[in-house]
Amino acid sequence: MTDADLIAAARTAALKAYAPYSNFSVGCAVESVDGEVVTGANMENACYRLGLCAEVSALTLAQATFGLDKVARIAVAGGDASGTALAGTNAVTPCGGCRQSILEAAQLSGVDIDILCASGDGQTVKHYKISALIPHGFGPASLKDAG
Ligand code: THU
């Protein structure tokens, strides 16, 4: 899948978000090393702190579909989903908690996962590796000295 295709999948997924409190819809597309793609969107809750981010939603499906250890690339897009297509001009980067979840997948596979951070309209895209978004992170590899 091209970068543009993966971003398009994330933008489409955002249209299925349940985000009545923030009105900020986020979609995420996760691609496996074999080119399989799953998507997810954020799901909020009246008890605000219980909301789920799009990345965790998509990674949960990725684990069920091909395994976290097979994640190669991720696209995220967020903005206003009140129209027919996702809108917004600011590139969305994963929140701190989502970076930690992506790091988990990265350390399982040993792949420095590529993350495409797109604006709602898909026109602004920033590319990062997970190692740049969460340097010196604590992950499964950090537990090797556990008793
Ligand atoms: N959100 C995500 O889904 N992913 C992120 O990485 C950042 C934030 C969601 C959470 C909440 O539903 C809304 O965006 C506003 O914070």
Side-chain angles (χ1 to χ4, degrees), residues 19 22 24 26 41-44 52-55 76 92-95 98:
S22 70
F24 189 73
V26 183
N42 54 332
M43 186 174 75
E44 298 182 347
L52 278 185
C53 284
E55 295 89 327
V76 184
V92 173
T93 54
C95 76
C98 290

Side-chain angles (χ1 to χ4, degrees), residues 119-139:
S119 56
D121 63 11
Q123 296 304 302
T124 304
V125 181
K126 294 181 178 168
H127 294 229
Y128 298 104
K129 296 275 190 189
I130 187 60
S131 60
L133 292 185
I134 185 164
H136 315 293
F138 184 93

